[in-house]
Amino acid sequence: EDQVTQSPEALRLQEGESSSLNCSYTVSGLRGLFWYRQDPGKGPEFLFTLYSAGEEKEKERLKATLTKKESFLHITAPKPEDSATYLCAVQARGNKLVFGAGTILRVKS
Amino acid sequence: EAGVTQFPSHSVIEKGQTVTLRCDPISGHDNLYWYRRVMGKEIKFLLHFVKESKQDESGMPNNRFLAERTGGTYSTLKVQPAELEDSGVYFCASSQSGYHGYTFGSGTRLTVV
């Protein structure tokens, strides 16, 4: 069964304090790994798709990397507006996504 | 472009009643998905439409849930009769191609009391 585990469950950072979020996955035939950001009361907002081990993508202060077993979302010099829940999901058979439980990030100024 | 629109944003109903959720996808998106998040759990897949056809409904929990997509445009998800465990946030998403990131709506928060 496809499974996604995210850690930590919650992370508190000071503004400017860089860190990483982890997404471990087991899936038969990975077609894509997705990172989303979710703000309270909103739907998930697409950030990145990674398709193969070794791939990296960047957007502003965020950088996503992928290995055969896990993905990392690196946050460099975060700001308070980066506070959100970050969701990881994998796409295997068909088009459905299997989500992890998410990491709640709080960045304090 | 307009995003994925869901309504109502909130619904509170009594156990045994019927509720219909609606989703308007981004215009031109053939793929439409329903997901839900129940309290304390991950977001889970319910079903996938390609145009008006159900491509995958493996996540539908039971036959109290009925999804339709009229003419390949908007979709409805009806729960009849609602049970307490149906409470949660129901998300709709759409995409042009199935192999890329979806665009999600803001969700409908359903509370069954």
Side-chain angles (χ1 to χ4, degrees):
Chain A
E1 185 180 335
D2 302 333
Q3 198 162 11
V4 177
T5 303
Q6 291 189 246
S7 61
E9 291 183 9
L11 181 64
R12 287 185 152 188
L13 298 174
Q14 286 295 124
E15 184 172 2
E17 179 187 2
S18 301
S19 188
S20 297
L21 314 182
N22 177 262
C23 171
S24 299
Y25 64 90
T26 54
V27 65
S28 302
L30 180 71
R31 296 178 66 198
L33 184 140
F34 298 79
W35 282 98
Y36 285 87
R37 168 192 170 126
Q38 186 174 20
D39 293 297
K42 301 286 183 67
E45 175 189 344
F46 174 74
L47 293 174
F48 304 109
T49 309
L50 302 168
Y51 295 104
S52 57
E55 189 174 359
E56 299 182 352
K57 287 193 177 172
E58 287 188 66
K59 179 180 178 180
E60 296 179 356
R61 294 177 293 282
L62 301 177
K63 178 180 175 181
T65 62
L66 181 65
T67 72
K68 288 187 178 179
K69 292 186 177 181
E70 58 191 352
S71 176
F72 291 93
L73 185 65
H74 306 279
I75 303 176
T76 302
K79 298 182 177 181
E81 55 261 42
D82 294 322
S83 297
T85 297
Y86 289 85
L87 299 167
C88 173
V90 296
Q91 184 178 37
R93 293 170 296 282
N95 288 336
K96 69 180 181 184
L97 297 182
V98 176
F99 280 87
T103 294
I104 301 170
L105 174 67
R106 291 290 175 260
V107 182
K108 299 190 77 174
S109 58
Chain B
E1 68 180 357
V4 176
T5 305
Q6 292 186 247
F7 47 94
S9 57
H10 294 83
S11 180
V12 181
I13 62 171
E14 292 185 352
K15 177 182 170 180
Q17 288 187 321
T18 297
V19 63
T20 300
L21 314 181
R22 173 166 167 150
C23 169
D24 285 47
I26 292 174
S27 178
H29 281 193
D30 288 341
N31 294 276
L32 186 149
Y33 310 84
W34 285 97
Y35 285 79
R36 77 171 177 178
R37 183 174 210 162
V38 297
M39 181 87 81
K41 301 280 189 178
E42 300 85 354
I43 296 173
K44 292 208 169 178
F45 170 81
L46 294 178
L47 87 159
H48 169 210
F49 283 100
V50 177
K51 296 186 180 178
E52 67 274 9
S53 300
K54 291 176 186 174
Q55 185 77 11
D56 180 356
E57 51 184 328
S58 61
M60 294 288 265
N62 52 60
N63 60 9
R64 295 184 295 103
F65 288 75
L66 175 64
E68 295 179 324
R69 189 176 183 192
T70 306
T73 56
Y74 71 91
S75 175
T76 58
L77 180 65
K78 184 193 299 189
V79 185
Q80 179 183 28
E83 298 289 346
L84 298 178
E85 65 263 25
D86 301 331
S87 295
V89 182
Y90 289 76
F91 293 104
C92 175
S94 71
S95 70
Q96 280 187 310
S97 159
Y99 194 49
H100 298 288
Y102 314 156
T103 301
F104 279 84
S106 292
T108 295
R109 180 173 295 277
L110 174 65
T111 303
V112 183
V113 297

